[in-house]
Amino acid sequence: MNRFLAVLLILTALAGPAPTWSANTDTDQLKRQVADVERAFAATMKDRDHAAFASFLSDEAVFFNGSTELRGREAVAAHWKEYYTEAVAPFSWEPELVSVLDSGNLALSTGPVRNAQGQRTATYMSIWRQEAPGVWRIIFDKGARYCE
């Protein structure tokens, strides 16, 4: 998974220069901000709010579904809609570790994914991009099965 993370960070860094608003960043504050955004993103599952889920996706979002890449907000949202159809959420997630680049424009969030019974089944890894001051949208997401 470290190799995957390194490739994702390199690719996102090549996407363009750091935004001008992030010249002097407080990375601890940004970590808290991203953790709060991740929790709000996860709350869309608990609240069964698919439209809110889609609002956290960057237009360029890439989600990995096994070996398949879902590219773009519309494709990701369409695929994930099935997870929002039942009355009870099939899974949940929460941030365990958040790290932000010193430039303040990219962040990594990772943590446990739990099934409806609360058992840890996977670990997610998401890359967030600050698209405007205080506005974070997810650009990459991938999960891996959890092994004890």
Side-chain angles (χ1 to χ4, degrees):
M1 197 146 75
N2 288 339
R3 175 189 261 169
F4 176 77
L5 175 60
V7 169
L8 282 179
L9 290 175
I10 289 168
L11 289 174
T12 54
L14 294 174
T20 57
W21 67 80
S22 61
N24 295 312
T25 59
D26 176 345
T27 56
D28 288 335
Q29 178 186 1
L30 291 175
K31 285 179 187 180
R32 288 187 297 275
Q33 193 177 80
V34 172
D36 289 345
V37 169
E38 184 72 62
R39 285 185 199 95
F41 184 52
T44 69
M45 180 63 71
K46 180 182 175 204
D47 297 341
R48 318 307 293 133
D49 190 345
H50 181 259
F53 166 84
S55 74
F56 287 92
L57 303 173
S58 171
D59 289 339
E60 299 179 284
V62 177
F63 276 46
F64 294 86
N65 181 33
S67 61
T68 303
E69 290 182 16
L70 304 169
R71 293 188 157 271
R73 175 184 288 169
E74 290 181 21
V76 172
H79 179 82
W80 273 66
K81 190 168 184 119
E82 69 182 84
Y83 299 123
Y84 286 81
T85 59
E86 300 297 322
V88 176
F91 57 89
S92 63
W93 69 94
E94 62 185 318
E96 190 172 66
L97 171 72
V98 173
S99 186
V100 179
L101 292 180
D102 289 341
S103 65
N105 66 330
L106 291 176
L108 164 74
S109 176
T110 186
V113 177
R114 301 184 192 284
N115 63 18
Q117 294 74 41
Q119 300 162 319
R120 187 173 186 165
T121 58
T123 300
Y124 80 88
M125 181 173 41
S126 299
I127 305 292
W128 293 82
R129 177 173 58 203
Q130 188 171 199
E131 295 189 345
V135 178
W136 291 89
R137 292 218 169 77
I138 193 166
I139 55 172
F140 287 104
D141 183 82
K142 182 163 179 35
R145 290 188 191 266
Y146 178 69
C147 300
E148 290 188 54

